[in-house]
């Protein structure tokens, strides 16, 4: 068909429709070509980098290394682990060795920058085995065990972190090594009961165990609503100077009233019904 015939055909109704359809197809093809070209550029088709192994590395080091490969670091969560250094990467997505496009993100779980604080439970006067299980469940380690005379065998008399005696509610770092003083039953030697007047429960406990091989027996607080850590001993049984076997428990009463502690227990009549 020559040009004149083509023009005549287009002028017809059917020809007009065909011409418009052909034009629409051509425009659509051009648009698709432009779209695919733009998507290829936008998605960086075929331009990938290998994701490095960053587990165990510090966050600052990881950011620099990923930046060199045009990758971004995104922290999605934090945890605490003894297996990697504090402040380092615990887990990464995508995994090391996989491929990702430039300017994409690597999602990580980071180890806490400081150790979690654990609140010490009350381990006094419970079995040694039970205390070990409790400490391990809290993420603490069992250190040395010291045996001292006591009323009962294999019960915990005192819990220590280094040279410091720990009381219920004290905070320690997770992973700390905890030592325990455990009872081995009463001894055969007699010792003189010291005065515990004006001492806190922790001070009284350490004095009795470390210097006199005695233990704290029954404890009574004159007001359960007050802060017990601030209370001091104002009465004890047996009284100071009494001779008792090693391992004997000394019963004590504690109060926030300092004036009570100023009154020597020797000046008070012995209370047969101490508790």
């Amino acid at each position: 068909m020559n040009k004149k015939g083509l023009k005549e055909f287009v002028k017809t109704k059917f020809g007009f429709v065909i011409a418009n359809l052909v034009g629409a197809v051509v425009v659509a093809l051009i648009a698709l070509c432009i779209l695919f070209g733009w998507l290829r550029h936008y998605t960086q088709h075929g331009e990938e980098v290998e994701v490095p192994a960053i587990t165990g590395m510090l966050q600052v080091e990881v950011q620099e290394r990923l930046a060199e490969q045009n990758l971004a670091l995104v922290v999605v969560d934090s945890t605490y682990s003894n297996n990697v250094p504090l402040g380092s990467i615990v887990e990464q997505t995508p995994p090391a060795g996989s491929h990702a496009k430039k300017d994409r993100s690597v999602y990580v779980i980071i180890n806490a920058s400081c150790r979690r604080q654990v609140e010490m439970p009350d381990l006094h006067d419970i079995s040694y085995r039970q205390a070990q299980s409790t400490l391990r469940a809290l993420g603490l380690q069992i250190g040395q065990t010291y045996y001292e005379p006591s009323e009962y065998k294999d019960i915990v008399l005192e819990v220590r972190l280094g040279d410091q005696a720990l009381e219920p509610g004290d905070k320690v770092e997770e992973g700390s090594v905890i030592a325990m003083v455990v009872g081995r039953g009463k001894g055969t030697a007699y010792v003189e009961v010291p005065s515990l007047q004006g001492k806190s429960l922790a001070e009284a406990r350490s004095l009795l165990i470390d210097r006199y091989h005695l233990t704290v027996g029954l404890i009574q607080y004159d007001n359960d609503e007050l802060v017990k850590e601030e209370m001091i001993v104002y009465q004890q049984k047996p009284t100071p100077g009494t001779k008792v076997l090693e391992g004997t428990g000394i019963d004590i009463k504690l109060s926030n009233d300092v004036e009570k502690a100023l009154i020597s227990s020797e000046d008070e009549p012995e209370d047969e019904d101490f508790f």
Side-chain angles (χ1 to χ4, degrees), residues 221-242:
Y221 302 94
D222 66 353
N223 191 333
D224 289 334
E225 296 180 358
L226 298 177
V227 181
K228 294 180 180 179
E229 289 78 4
E230 298 177 358
M231 291 186 173
I232 55 177
V233 178
Y234 70 90
Q235 196 173 358
Q236 67 181 81
K237 184 180 180 179
T239 55
T242 305

Side-chain angles (χ1 to χ4, degrees), residues 174-230:
E174 185 173 1
S176 297
V177 180
I178 306 298
M180 286 184 283
V181 180
V182 179
R184 57 176 171 82
K186 284 190 176 181
T188 56
Y190 281 87
V191 293
E192 188 174 293
V193 176
S195 173
L196 304 177
Q197 292 289 117
K199 298 188 181 299
S200 67
L201 175 58
E203 293 171 338
R205 197 189 309 274
S206 293
L207 176 65
L208 291 174
I209 292 173
D210 295 339
R211 294 184 57 184
Y212 294 91
H213 304 294
L214 301 171
T215 63
V216 172
L218 297 176
I219 303 172
Q220 178 175 302
Y221 302 94
D222 66 353
N223 191 333
D224 289 334
E225 296 180 358
L226 298 177
V227 181
K228 294 180 180 179
E229 289 78 4
E230 298 177 358

Side-chain angles (χ1 to χ4, degrees), residues 41-54:
H41 173 75
Y42 179 77
T43 59
Q44 300 176 346
H45 182 68
E47 297 180 23
E48 294 184 337
V49 294
E50 184 175 319
V51 178
I54 56 177

Side-chain angles (χ1 to χ4, degrees), residues 37-261:
W38 177 80
L39 286 174
R40 184 183 181 86
H41 173 75
Y42 179 77
T43 59
Q44 300 176 346
H45 182 68
E47 297 180 23
E48 294 184 337
V49 294
E50 184 175 319
V51 178
I54 56 177
T55 302
M57 296 178 60
L58 295 176
Q59 183 177 356
V60 176
E61 300 172 341
V62 168
Q63 287 175 322
E64 295 176 354
R65 184 169 180 181
L66 292 180
E68 293 174 356
Q69 297 181 264
N70 295 317
L71 296 172
L73 177 70
V74 177
V75 178
V76 296
D77 199 3
S78 64
T79 185
Y80 177 76
S81 172
N82 286 319
N83 300 324
V84 294
L86 298 177
S88 62
I89 306 302
V90 177
E91 186 178 324
Q92 68 177 88
T93 303
S98 60
H99 290 81
K101 293 182 173 63
K102 292 181 179 180
D103 298 324
R104 293 300 186 260
S105 298
V106 178
Y107 301 92
V108 300
I109 296 176
I110 193 170
N111 198 23
S113 58
C114 58
R115 294 183 184 273
R116 182 169 65 93
Q117 295 291 306
V118 176
E119 184 174 305
M120 285 297 299
D122 189 355
L123 302 178
H124 298 118
D125 298 330
I126 70 172
S127 71
Y128 178 46
R129 181 171 296 181
Q130 183 181 349
Q132 286 181 310
S133 300
T134 301
L135 290 175
R136 291 193 179 104
L138 292 173
L140 301 172
Q141 301 182 51
I142 309 300
Q144 288 185 294
T145 301
Y146 305 93
Y147 288 90
E148 292 287 347
S150 66
E151 296 245 20
Y152 304 100
K153 189 176 181 181
D154 291 330
I155 63 167
V156 177
L157 306 177
E158 190 175 50
V159 185
R160 298 173 179 170
L161 178 62
D163 295 330
Q164 178 187 358
L166 297 174
E167 290 296 318
D170 288 347
K171 298 291 184 66
V172 298
E173 289 185 348
E174 185 173 1
S176 297
V177 180
I178 306 298
M180 286 184 283
V181 180
V182 179
R184 57 176 171 82
K186 284 190 176 181
T188 56
Y190 281 87
V191 293
E192 188 174 293
V193 176
S195 173
L196 304 177
Q197 292 289 117
K199 298 188 181 299
S200 67
L201 175 58
E203 293 171 338
R205 197 189 309 274
S206 293
L207 176 65
L208 291 174
I209 292 173
D210 295 339
R211 294 184 57 184
Y212 294 91
H213 304 294
L214 301 171
T215 63
V216 172
L218 297 176
I219 303 172
Q220 178 175 302
Y221 302 94
D222 66 353
N223 191 333
D224 289 334
E225 296 180 358
L226 298 177
V227 181
K228 294 180 180 179
E229 289 78 4
E230 298 177 358
M231 291 186 173
I232 55 177
V233 178
Y234 70 90
Q235 196 173 358
Q236 67 181 81
K237 184 180 180 179
T239 55
T242 305
K243 297 282 188 176
V244 297
L245 279 174
E246 290 181 331
T248 299
I250 308 302
D251 301 334
I252 57 176
K253 290 183 177 181
L254 296 101
S255 174
N256 284 87
D257 188 352
V258 179
E259 292 184 2
K260 286 186 177 182

